[in-house]
Amino acid sequence: MDGYYAWMLMSSSLVLMMTVPALALFYGGMSRSKSVLNMMMMSFTALGVVGIVYVLWGWSMSYAGTNVAGLFANPFSAFGLKGVDYADYVYVAFQLTFAVITAALISGAIADRVKFSAWLVFLPLWVTLSYFPLAHMVWGGGFLSGASEHGLSATLFGFVDGAAKVIPQDYAGGTVVHINAGVAGLVLVLLIGKRLGFGAEPMKPHNLTLTMIGAGLLWFGWFGFNVGSIVFVAGDGGEKDIAQFMSETGVTWINTTLATCAAMLAWLAVERLRDGKGTSLGAASGVVAGLVAITPSCGSVDVYGALIIGVVAGAACAYAVGLKYKFGYDDSLDVVGVHLVGGIVGTVLIGVVSSASAPGGVDGLLYGGGVKPLVVQTLTAAFAIAWSAIATLIVGLAIKYTLGWRITEESESEGIDFNEHGESAYDLGLSGGARRAGALVGAVAATSSSKEEANA
Amino acid sequence: MDGYYAWMLMSSSLVLMMTVPALALFYGGMSRSKSVLNMMMMSFTALGVVGIVYVLWGWSMSYAGTNVAGLFANPFSAFGLKGVDYADYVYVAFQLTFAVITAALISGAIADRVKFSAWLVFLPLWVTLSYFPLAHMVWGGGFLSGASEHGLSATLFGFVDGAAKVIPQDYAGGTVVHINAGVAGLVLVLLIGKRLGFGAEPMKPHNLTLTMIGAGLLWFGWFGFNVGSIVFVAGDGGEKDIAQFMSETGVTWINTTLATCAAMLAWLAVERLRDGKGTSLGAASGVVAGLVAITPSCGSVDVYGALIIGVVAGAACAYAVGLKYKFGYDDSLDVVGVHLVGGIVGTVLIGVVSSASAPGGVDGLLYGGGVKPLVVQTLTAAFAIAWSAIATLIVGLAIKYTLGWRITEESESEGIDFNEHGESAYDLGLSGGARRAGALVGAVAATSSSKEEANA
Amino acid sequence: MDGYYAWMLMSSSLVLMMTVPALALFYGGMSRSKSVLNMMMMSFTALGVVGIVYVLWGWSMSYAGTNVAGLFANPFSAFGLKGVDYADYVYVAFQLTFAVITAALISGAIADRVKFSAWLVFLPLWVTLSYFPLAHMVWGGGFLSGASEHGLSATLFGFVDGAAKVIPQDYAGGTVVHINAGVAGLVLVLLIGKRLGFGAEPMKPHNLTLTMIGAGLLWFGWFGFNVGSIVFVAGDGGEKDIAQFMSETGVTWINTTLATCAAMLAWLAVERLRDGKGTSLGAASGVVAGLVAITPSCGSVDVYGALIIGVVAGAACAYAVGLKYKFGYDDSLDVVGVHLVGGIVGTVLIGVVSSASAPGGVDGLLYGGGVKPLVVQTLTAAFAIAWSAIATLIVGLAIKYTLGWRITEESESEGIDFNEHGESAYDLGLSGGARRAGALVGAVAATSSSKEEANA
Amino acid sequence: MKLITAVIKPHKWEDVREALETFGVTGMTVSEVSGYGRQKGHTEVYRGAEYDIALVPKIRIEIVVDDSDAADVVDIVVKTAQTGRIGDGKVWVAPVDSVVRVRTGERDEAAL
Amino acid sequence: MKLITAVIKPHKWEDVREALETFGVTGMTVSEVSGYGRQKGHTEVYRGAEYDIALVPKIRIEIVVDDSDAADVVDIVVKTAQTGRIGDGKVWVAPVDSVVRVRTGERDEAAL
Amino acid sequence: MKLITAVIKPHKWEDVREALETFGVTGMTVSEVSGYGRQKGHTEVYRGAEYDIALVPKIRIEIVVDDSDAADVVDIVVKTAQTGRIGDGKVWVAPVDSVVRVRTGERDEAAL
Ligand SMILES: Nc1ncnc2c1ncn2[C@@H]1O[C@H](COP(=O)(O)OP(=O)(O)O)[C@@H](O)[C@H]1O
Ligand SMILES: Nc1ncnc2c1ncn2[C@@H]1O[C@H](COP(=O)(O)OP(=O)(O)O)[C@@H](O)[C@H]1O
Ligand SMILES: Nc1ncnc2c1ncn2[C@@H]1O[C@H](COP(=O)(O)OP(=O)(O)O)[C@@H](O)[C@H]1O
């Protein structure tokens, strides 16, 4: 199994790369030139903060600790990876990167207007209240998993020899990652309010080439995300596991790619029909929508199932991103429209197009599996939405009434990069900075005579 | 072999990354700021369309179907991967990414002037008529492979125990990918015509940093492309295969790197001698030229062979990119100059510098292997050129006289990004978009009072 | 072990990617818009030149040749990989990428002012006199390794059954790579002098998004750098090695991530306290500082050790980058402040926080290992500093009094991109280049009538 | 003819444009400029080096108008661009001998 | 002395420059600006949000000339920049008291 | 009132600003422009295609001043921006009827 192990090392690295720099680029390019750095910083610090928190108590609270009411595990039993076998560190690594990107995804909803300090405080609180518990419930044998006798599905449809009759399916994180991030984004937007001039001033992407790089690197990294999420049946690292590794991963790779291709084209088609032209932002958005939707289902559908999920997700999200203008919530970079909607589409459609012929699949509605899988998938999604909403509300309100979320109106209209980070992203003038020129103030004395010495 | 398998998962992901975002960046940076998005979109949609087509009938038509006259396989026998073993999905994945990038490479020749719709129609037709057949002929046991009794080489020099006496060599796609794309580019350019102002107006790269990122990521991805292209002698996944994997791949990695380094320096040297200065675009171009030329030969040469191929390719391409001005064909981003010329150099030079000491090599001219290998390599290249030219001509003409290829002259001089995609790539003004400001028209009503509510 | 082997293929590719494009981007973004291309070219050509030199005599001089006084190995015995087993090529590949990035790192210190030709001459000389010997001393069983009976540590504290009593620790290159590059940068800066207007004119980063991409990709690549640096105890590719691979790498991955997260936050904290605001450049710099410091120690500390090293490195470097203004040396992109300081912090702290509980660690001061490890680590660093300084001085002076290092003052103030490469990085005007417009001079005749023919 | 040059705060541009449109100004030429004045710029710190950014982004508008409209146009710009905070900008009026519409060659009043 | 300011379509810049060079204009100052006028801008749609881009890219040329040359220079610009399509731009002429060549301190005629 | 327009070499901007500040100029408007004149641009070569870059980057400064200050300001700019090498730039002076401070509506002298 050292081949599988090598793949896990690679997958963990790939998923870390999804947050930094991929997501930072995807979001940064869509923001305005006066706030791109703040946008990127939210992804960088999500990695900085959650990376540490995860090792301290995240792993313990998700997988290692003793189960508390099926909702989360004891955060202290494996605090700082106490007692965790070195051979399991790679799984800590892999799971760590998931927690990181989930938190980072949220930042897109609250672009341009949030105190950097508020974000830094939000991160550890949110992953602790929302992410770690949901990870435990879905993947840690908790309330939303098929392994728990008192779990949602078991309670509904029974439990036989150690597993729920109808196993809830979330291969790589439709609920834990995307629905969770999407809901959190929505709740924060409602708490924090709109950007100045939302809906009135132009707020177009300032650099679509960055967004395209980001989308491409996200796709690349997503192979680690989805294909790396294989769980072994035997689990003893023997022949059977190797055989499973050497076939299931091929399927998840292909499904991931197919759904993403389909979603890209579907989004472009919607734009063509609605707006007359397919855009590059649309292609990039479609890519992400497809990746999101296939995340929970990549192991449980065949090629046609993947195509269907991709098409539906691409089209649905392409429409969904318009809703914020209708209802007037400023989900700035469409975390709701893409991750919440895409996550729901992927999670629920499993109940319809999942196929027993796929490595990790049971027959869905379409394959005569009846309505039960659909019910389980839907209720699982619903529960995840509720949990995430409440957890985020608690954290969000706590910050709102202590630190406060918003920067001042002046700062916001001048640009958050200046005011929260004291920087500007670009200085492209060929006159070498003259346009935004300024004298160097700090510690100059010692070097004032530099011109003379230059060739010393 | 799960280690090899893990490498194939990685290689497939790397090669996909070569098209999106690497090639999109490499090309995008070289185009003008008014057409960068369209350029990138051609790579993105190449992945979107060909990715799906490949799974539907591409794999079947290349490898899985029953052979038709050694030219292609039955596209329907394994339609939608019907009957394909899950354990083989990884090979589908790997091959899929090759088809995608080959199609995407073509877009560089026809930058700035082609209807987006025409490109979307071109993609599936071209891969079906040109790529899948050539892949079958060269790698699918078809007419250009050493395994076919009625193949080119067998016919010329005989066939003994299951293989042509002189085995045609194309390790990773000199003919199928680079010559194929280069010829297609040339044919389309001649059909479609020049950009307005070609040779008169300045058409310099608008953002060389993108081109440098692209070149770097292409190099990175190319390790998947070349090193992943290993074919096993035993093929039973046993000791011998593992041993081959654990030695041959080291050689292809080193050869890929050496040739690329050499080509980069050779291109810079030519520029220094001819123009007085070595440029960054030259370095980036040399990198790609070297990667192209070593693609067919990375398994069949030793370190000196790799250096020779790199130097020749770098220098040859550096001169070749100037030809379009002499002969007046607007191969906008030098698909001909780099991929056709580089592909020929690499494919033909094998006949000279290939060495039996290399894992996959037979002795070439230089190593006393006589002229036969050279003849086989040359004729193989020639046949590939002819096939690709005819196939592209058919598709190109069909589109020319139906949809039509060109956008209007106004659109072209105004910029294809505006006119085909309704976007502009950059809005860098620190005044947050004011420079190209505009009122938000769509669905604003509901949010017009946003300023007041901002802090609600 | 083919899984481990697959990981080494991947690691080699990752580390190559660190130089091109990651480092090129990280440095390029920090330079001014009139010198970004030159900056990137220094990384590209470091790969081009050192890549070839390494295969010719670098490997031989570091590992393959017969030992000369423990300082370096015979460069000719394995010239051009003569006699090197194909199965070992992957190690050549991996080590090659280390030599490349070490040389490339130096370029940051001498930005904006150095003749491109001087850089091209510097590269092969410097790696030959400084890098290859140090690699031999530390990793090739030479004077600074624990395997040498006459080595530094053995001489000090004795040598029992084939190993020094106190084994010097440098897991992935704190001395060979970072201290080495940092010292070289400092020496060159002192030889070459300051940029015109250093300390007086503004020299702010021209495009921080590039720097952020670079930092992110460096992090990604660094997993290959650190995690790929595992050395096996048994070394026979048997069960024990596999077991070591499947546990030690998880630890190095986690430690690498933890230290980097901690350093990022530490740097931001220093900025917040000192300057009032945490910056994106600070986050990116902290990331690199953390990666540098954990490089030598990633295998010899536990999670708390990694956190300590990260925090110290982040804070120390954040202060160190200010020193150049105090002392008036123009270490333009802080190679000294980040790589020399970070490398020393990481190398020396091993003596304090290293723990026997870690896979590759012995107990340091903090774990009752006494002061000896600290002494060994410190003296090793000191020796590396001395060697690098002398070697660089020799090469630097040789070039200064032959070719000369500096471009003319006019060229420098106008911009090195124009004057050394004849290019400008950006042409973003939506008017398609008009702003910096110019008539196309070269070989136009044949195409002057292009407008008419455009639709031919 | 008069040439009215207005230097205003970027986020005021939209309002000004609308106001002028309503008044009947059919054309203007706009550019991104940097302003230096009482309104102080920012301080940026890069790796410990502090930069005093003296310049602040402004929008510069040029409008050629009939002598008769000059006063009104100036008032409109001043009224709509005003925030009352330092840095609101300046508007100046200068004489123009003649203006031509490139498309038609029409001159002066007819060219506007 | 007169200052001639011309706002033209970007792709016409090369032709205008050549024409002026031939006429004997030895120098000018050029900037990228945005134009607002009869020529309508584009509509861009980003994720369903439609933006009405009122401004179109233009090139702005400033030429200081002798009173005697003013008329000719204006005519040349108008002739060469003309496409006949809306948005060709404007040219205006304004009085200049004096001009100095920084390098030498020469004034007026001598400074051109 | 006079409008002084100066086109200078970018790396001279800092010096000019300081000099004007010392003299008492409290505000100006600055833009990045391209200059065309005796100073020849560069030649750039991209994949064998040679481009003759006719334009060189310049900084353009606009200063509205009292008639009484005009001469001094021009001299200061000329003195500080001078390198003696071709391409140092031009400074021209034009009449201004009136100037308004947007923030306060103050006019002319009071607006500066
Ligand atoms: N004398 C001047 N000439 C030209 N432009 C000026 C002048 N003084 C100020 N400006 C422009 O007006 C802007 C606002 O001026 P400032 O002094 O900052 O605030 P206020 O006008 O409210 O006193 C400046 O940024 C500059 O662009
Ligand atoms: N009154 C004006 N003052 C200054 N510039 C103007 C004015 N009217 C038009 N322009 C400039 O001239 C350009 C072309 O004018 P427009 O009305 O679009 O077309 P046309 O001049 O052909 O009628 C505009 O984009 C703008 O830059
Ligand atoms: N007639 C002119 N009108 C407007 N600007 C001019 C004129 N002539 C020169 N300039 C500006 O002055 C700059 C320097 O002029 P140039 O002829 O190159 O050098 P010099 O002024 O030293 O002779 C030019 O780049 C251009 O921006």
Side-chain angles (χ1 to χ4, degrees), chain F residues 36-48:
Chain F
Y36 174 82
R38 278 174 196 65
Q39 179 191 8
K40 285 293 146 253
H42 304 268
T43 299
E44 300 183 352
V45 182
Y46 296 97
R47 285 189 170 175

Side-chain angles (χ1 to χ4, degrees), chain D residues 7 33-40 56 58 85-90 92, chain F residues 3 25-30 62-65 101-103 111-112:
Chain D
V7 177
V33 298
S34 303
Y36 174 81
R38 278 175 197 64
Q39 179 192 9
K40 286 293 145 253
V56 286
K58 299 284 172 195
R85 276 196 241 81
I86 283 185
D88 277 354
K90 305 265 185 278
W92 60 85
Chain F
L3 168 65
V25 171
T26 59
M28 42 193 150
T29 298
V30 181
E62 289 177 301
I63 320 170
V64 178
V65 296
R101 182 195 308 278
V102 173
R103 171 165 48 99
L112 298 181

Side-chain angles (χ1 to χ4, degrees), chain C residues 414, chain F residues 9 35-41 54-58 86-88:
Chain C
E414 243 189 336
Chain F
K9 285 185 168 160
Y36 174 82
R38 278 174 196 65
Q39 179 191 8
K40 285 293 146 253
L55 300 173
V56 285
K58 300 281 172 196
I86 283 184
D88 277 352

Side-chain angles (χ1 to χ4, degrees), chain B residues 33 194 198-199 206 249 278 280 357, chain C residues 5 86 421 423 427 429 444 453:
Chain B
S33 58
K194 307 178 181 105
F198 171 70
H206 88 286
T249 52
S280 64
S357 74
Chain C
Y5 186 88
Y86 285 156
H421 305 295
E423 295 171 294
D427 186 5
V444 179
E453 296 161 36

Side-chain angles (χ1 to χ4, degrees), chain B residues 193-416:
Chain B
K194 307 178 181 105
R195 287 170 292 180
L196 290 176
F198 171 70
E201 285 172 24
M203 295 178 173
K204 41 178 290 203
H206 88 286
N207 188 343
L208 283 169
T209 64
L210 294 185
T211 300
M212 300 291 266
I213 307 177
L217 291 179
L218 281 170
W219 194 335
F220 178 50
W222 223 291
F223 288 119
F225 199 94
N226 283 0
V227 179
S229 291
I230 183 171
V231 173
F232 293 104
V233 178
D236 57 5
E239 281 315 311
K240 284 194 55 190
D241 285 347
I242 294 182
Q244 186 188 346
F245 171 62
M246 289 178 65
S247 59
E248 185 168 322
T249 52
V251 176
T252 50
W253 196 103
I254 289 286
N255 282 342
T256 298
T257 303
L258 275 179
T260 308
C261 292
M264 184 207 299
L265 300 180
W267 190 301
L268 289 172
V270 168
E271 287 187 323
R272 177 66 185 253
L273 297 173
R274 184 186 57 194
D275 317 322
K277 285 164 183 168
T279 68
S280 64
L281 180 58
S285 309
V287 162
V288 175
L291 289 164
V292 167
I294 198 65
T295 291
S297 51
C298 59
S300 54
V301 296
D302 62 15
V303 297
Y304 299 104
L307 287 171
I308 291 168
I309 287 174
V311 170
V312 175
C317 295
Y319 281 110
V321 292
L323 296 177
K324 66 185 178 190
Y325 297 108
K326 215 188 249 84
F327 298 114
Y329 60 91
D330 181 6
D331 172 21
S332 310
L333 308 183
D334 301 307
V335 178
V336 177
V338 172
H339 294 274
L340 178 53
V341 173
I344 291 175
V345 166
T347 303
V348 172
L349 272 186
I350 290 176
V352 181
V353 299
S354 168
S355 145
S357 74
V362 303
D363 280 330
L365 199 54
L366 219 69
Y367 294 89
V371 74
K372 284 181 179 176
L374 182 54
V375 173
V376 169
Q377 292 303 111
T378 311
L379 292 179
T380 306
F383 188 92
I385 291 171
W387 182 278
S388 177
I390 293 161
T392 310
L393 197 63
I394 295 168
V395 179
L397 285 169
I399 291 174
K400 181 164 187 166
Y401 294 115
T402 52
L403 269 174
W405 277 102
R406 299 283 294 230
I407 57 176
T408 67
E409 297 210 2
E410 283 76 2
S411 303
E412 192 178 330
S413 74
E414 242 189 338
I416 191 166

Side-chain angles (χ1 to χ4, degrees), chain C residues 95-386:
Chain C
Q95 293 301 327
L96 175 155
T97 60
F98 277 56
V100 166
I101 196 167
T102 306
L105 284 171
I106 301 169
S107 63
I110 55 175
D112 303 0
R113 56 194 187 282
V114 162
K115 285 179 190 163
F116 186 50
S117 53
W119 175 249
L120 291 177
V121 171
F122 172 79
L123 287 166
L125 297 176
W126 185 82
V127 290
T128 304
L129 292 195
S130 188
Y131 185 86
F132 301 152
L134 273 170
H136 176 75
M137 291 185 232
V138 174
W139 294 323
F143 181 66
L144 298 177
S145 84
S148 154
E149 183 151 10
H150 314 295
L152 181 66
S153 176
T155 320
L156 287 170
F157 301 116
F159 190 85
V160 281
D161 38 27
K165 278 216 191 99
V166 182
I167 305 214
Q169 300 179 55
D170 185 355
Y171 199 88
T175 48
V176 183
V177 175
H178 297 290
I179 289 179
N180 195 3
V183 170
L186 181 56
V187 171
L188 287 187
V189 165
L190 298 175
L191 277 177
I192 292 171
K194 306 176 180 106
R195 286 170 293 179
L196 290 176
F198 170 70
E201 285 172 24
M203 294 178 173
K204 43 179 285 205
H206 87 287
N207 188 342
L208 284 168
T209 64
L210 295 185
T211 299
M212 300 291 266
I213 306 176
L217 291 180
L218 281 170
W219 194 334
F220 178 50
W222 222 291
F223 289 119
F225 198 95
N226 283 1
V227 180
S229 291
I230 183 172
V231 172
F232 293 105
V233 177
D236 58 5
E239 282 315 311
K240 286 194 53 190
D241 285 348
I242 293 182
Q244 187 188 345
F245 172 61
M246 289 177 65
S247 59
E248 184 169 322
T249 52
V251 176
T252 50
W253 197 102
I254 288 286
N255 282 342
T256 298
T257 302
L258 275 179
T260 307
C261 293
M264 183 207 300
L265 299 181
W267 190 301
L268 288 173
V270 169
E271 286 187 323
R272 178 65 185 252
L273 298 174
R274 185 185 56 193
D275 316 323
K277 286 165 182 169
T279 68
S280 65
L281 180 59
S285 309
V287 162
V288 175
L291 290 163
V292 167
I294 199 65
T295 292
S297 51
C298 58
S300 54
V301 296
D302 62 14
V303 296
Y304 298 105
L307 286 171
I308 292 167
I309 287 176
V311 170
V312 175
C317 295
Y319 282 110
V321 292
L323 296 178
K324 66 185 180 191
Y325 296 108
K326 216 189 248 84
F327 298 113
Y329 60 92
D330 181 7
D331 172 21
S332 310
L333 308 183
D334 302 306
V335 178
V336 177
V338 174
H339 294 275
L340 178 53
V341 172
I344 291 174
V345 166
T347 303
V348 171
L349 273 186
I350 290 176
V352 180
V353 298
S354 170
S355 143
S357 72
V362 302
D363 280 331
L365 200 52
L366 219 69
Y367 294 89
V371 75
K372 284 181 181 178
L374 183 54
V375 173
V376 169
Q377 292 303 110
T378 311
L379 292 178
T380 305
F383 189 91
I385 290 170

Side-chain angles (χ1 to χ4, degrees), chain D:
Chain D
M1 308 270 99
K2 297 288 180 191
L3 169 65
I4 295 167
T5 305
V7 177
I8 63 168
K9 284 185 170 162
H11 69 277
K12 278 294 176 183
W13 148 249
E14 275 300 318
D15 306 347
V16 171
R17 201 200 79 207
E18 275 166 31
L20 289 173
E21 209 167 6
T22 343
F23 173 76
V25 171
T26 59
M28 42 195 148
T29 298
V30 182
S31 49
E32 269 200 332
V33 298
S34 303
Y36 174 81
R38 278 175 197 64
Q39 179 192 9
K40 286 293 145 253
H42 306 266
T43 300
E44 301 183 353
V45 182
Y46 296 98
R47 285 187 169 176
E50 209 172 318
Y51 294 102
D52 189 350
I53 306 298
L55 300 173
V56 286
K58 299 284 172 195
I59 290 290
R60 180 178 181 279
I61 311 175
E62 289 178 301
I63 322 170
V64 178
V65 297
D66 264 20
D67 298 9
S68 56
D69 295 335
D72 299 344
V73 170
V74 171
D75 293 344
I76 290 170
V77 173
V78 170
K79 221 169 63 281
T80 40
Q82 203 168 65
T83 71
R85 276 196 241 81
I86 283 185
D88 277 354
K90 305 265 185 278
V91 181
W92 60 85
V93 183
V96 166
D97 302 349
S98 69
V99 52
V100 186
R101 181 196 308 277
V102 173
R103 172 164 48 98
T104 57
E106 294 162 283
R107 304 203 157 243
D108 303 342
E109 282 66 13
L112 298 180

